[in-house]
Amino acid sequence: MDPNILHNIGYGMYIAASHKGDVLNGQIVNTVFQITSEPVTIAVSINKKNLTHEFIESSSCFSLSILLEDTPLSFIGRFGFKSGREGNKFKGIKFERLASGCPVVSNYSIGYLEAKVVNKVDCGTHTLFIGEMTDSKILKTGRPMTYDYYHQVKRGTTPKTAPTFIKGEEGTAAKDARMKKYRCTVCNYIYDPAIGDPDRGIQPDTAFEGLPEGWVCPVCGADKSQFTKEP
Ligand code: FE
């Protein structure tokens, strides 16, 4: 078997969110798909260890915000590489709460949909929640971010809890960089000097050693001391 075949399955990039009373949580998901059109049902796969899983179980509803291509890595990192158990991910960002109580993000979102859970499938490490759409809205025009775009253009990485994580997978970075690449030991993001960190104005051809003091991993926020030089 060649697990690389799985990289050729297409996905999007979304924030799945839910609530438990007044406590909100959301996370990055890529495994979202429409199942039927009458009524509209949508499926999303969520790791059982994640707080969002607990909240969807508790509220029986979830929202999906569809992310734009220009969503910064730091925004994806906030929802994708941090746990809601350590802090409120919605603190300090613009969001709205829908009739179900589920939050949706206002920035970097093409629009959202809300669903009530009508079925679920136990898939071992993950639960596949199937929801009937109860609300939806388009907020902006733009291109939705695909999972491939996130990896190939944004140079994002995948946490171990994602359904599509492949052991040994790491951030994709240009193969023939003249300066050394550095890997974030927290989230596996690779700083590639050939690319820099365009979201934050770091130009291509900036060595890791030349990054300003206070520069942090664009994905998870770890500081420079948590990076190791790639062989
Ligand atoms: Fe990181």
Side-chain angles (χ1 to χ4, degrees):
M1 285 201 293
D2 183 353
N4 288 314
I5 191 67
L6 301 171
H7 287 305
N8 297 287
I9 297 176
Y11 303 97
M13 288 287 285
Y14 314 90
I15 293 174
S18 193
H19 70 98
K20 199 171 193 176
D22 280 335
V23 188
L24 309 176
N25 197 50
Q27 63 163 88
I28 297 290
V29 290
N30 65 295
T31 46
V32 167
F33 53 99
Q34 182 179 355
I35 303 176
T36 60
S37 54
E38 287 183 25
V40 174
T41 54
I42 298 280
V44 58
S45 173
I46 306 275
N47 191 299
K48 288 178 182 174
K49 290 179 184 158
N50 291 358
L51 189 60
T52 306
H53 187 283
E54 181 186 326
F55 283 14
I56 296 174
E57 287 276 17
S58 156
S59 68
S60 292
C61 58
F62 61 85
S63 67
L64 294 166
S65 297
I66 300 171
L67 295 177
L68 282 159
E69 272 188 354
D70 65 4
T71 305
L73 279 177
S74 56
F75 192 81
I76 295 171
R78 163 193 284 255
F79 283 97
F81 287 89
K82 297 205 159 66
S83 171
R85 295 186 180 91
E86 287 149 27
N88 178 4
K89 296 185 192 179
F90 286 89
K91 191 178 175 189
I93 64 158
K94 283 175 74 178
F95 67 94
E96 114 181 56
R97 286 191 80 175
L98 306 178
S100 65
C102 293
V104 289
V105 300
S106 309
N107 290 336
Y108 312 117
S109 170
I110 287 180
Y112 60 78
L113 61 89
E114 173 198 66
K116 67 168 190 228
V117 175
V118 293
N119 214 332
K120 57 187 181 181
V121 181
D122 186 333
C123 302
T125 55
H126 290 66
T127 299
L128 185 69
F129 290 104
I130 299 165
E132 193 173 310
M133 193 163 82
T134 48
D135 191 10
S136 62
K137 191 174 184 181
I138 291 176
L139 300 172
K140 294 184 185 87
T141 53
R143 291 169 60 84
M145 187 187 289
T146 64
Y147 199 51
D148 187 59
Y149 185 91
Y150 170 65
H151 281 283
Q152 302 301 328
V153 182
K154 303 290 281 186
R155 307 279 159 173
T157 54
T158 305
K160 288 187 179 67
T161 51
T164 50
F165 176 78
I166 296 172
K167 210 172 173 192
E169 179 189 79
E170 51 204 37
T172 48
K175 286 189 175 64
D176 54 358
R178 286 144 289 171
M179 293 170 268
K180 280 287 184 190
K181 296 170 196 162
Y182 279 73
R183 174 201 300 274
C184 173
T185 54
V186 178
C187 78
N188 276 337
Y189 167 83
I190 291 179
Y191 176 78
D192 183 343
I195 293 161
D197 179 8
D199 280 352
R200 280 164 317 163
I202 305 292
Q203 299 297 317
D205 294 325
T206 303
F208 182 81
E209 295 78 4
L211 289 169
E213 271 319 301
W215 181 88
V216 294
C217 173
V219 176
C220 76
D223 63 37
K224 283 175 77 176
S225 68
Q226 302 196 66
F227 279 70
T228 56
K229 195 185 280 188
E230 283 287 272

